[in-house]
Amino acid sequence: MIGIDLIRLDRIQRSMERFGDKLLQRYLSTEEISLIKNSKTAAGFWAAKEACSKALGTGIGKECSFHDITLSKTPKGAPVITLSKGLVQKYKIVDSSVSITHDGDYAIAVVAIETEK
């Protein structure tokens, strides 16, 4: 299953200016917040979580919350996506991967999820 999301950087920038840390806490864990360098990074993480929920076919909501999806980085800075135990069991997920990119005014993320056959 594949999901993709696109978000304007200024949307996250305005929200960060208006709501500060409350915005980040809404969709990121403390560990994820520590990786946020600026609104560009925050937008990429938002897009990745949205793309993941789309790959699952649920969207963000009751079945899959922002906090069921965790992002981290490898030592070289590549993003890594980890899903909650509940999601892994419910959807029989065996592997997942994420790619995040930025171009101009946008952050774009693609998530691929492999399930048991």
Side-chain angles (χ1 to χ4, degrees):
M1 300 179 288
I2 296 175
I4 187 168
D5 194 66
L6 167 80
I7 187 165
R8 285 186 61 92
L9 299 177
D10 64 352
R11 177 178 166 206
I12 293 294
Q13 176 65 42
R14 285 192 316 270
S15 295
M16 287 175 71
E17 289 169 359
R18 184 171 179 197
F19 301 108
D21 284 345
K22 285 188 179 190
L23 170 75
L24 297 179
Q25 292 166 355
R26 177 177 169 229
Y27 74 99
L28 299 172
S29 69
T30 304
E31 293 80 19
E32 291 170 310
I33 291 171
S34 72
L35 298 173
I36 300 298
K37 298 175 185 164
N38 51 43
S39 60
K40 186 176 174 181
T41 308
F45 277 31
W46 177 281
K49 290 188 177 209
E50 287 282 350
C52 183
S53 72
K54 290 173 183 178
L56 292 172
T58 64
I60 295 294
K62 187 176 180 181
E63 290 184 56
C64 175
S65 78
F66 283 118
H67 293 282
D68 283 320
I69 305 162
T70 304
L71 293 159
S72 58
K73 294 199 174 195
T74 67
K76 292 185 177 183
V80 176
I81 196 162
T82 304
L83 305 176
S84 69
K85 188 179 281 187
L87 287 180
V88 169
Q89 291 174 347
K90 182 175 184 174
Y91 295 99
K92 299 180 174 137
I93 297 167
V94 296
D95 197 14
S96 60
S97 59
V98 61
S99 180
I100 302 170
T101 191
H102 302 85
D103 187 19
D105 296 333
Y106 296 93
I108 304 154
V110 176
V111 172
I113 295 176
E114 182 182 345
T115 59
E116 289 180 8
K117 299 191 185 214

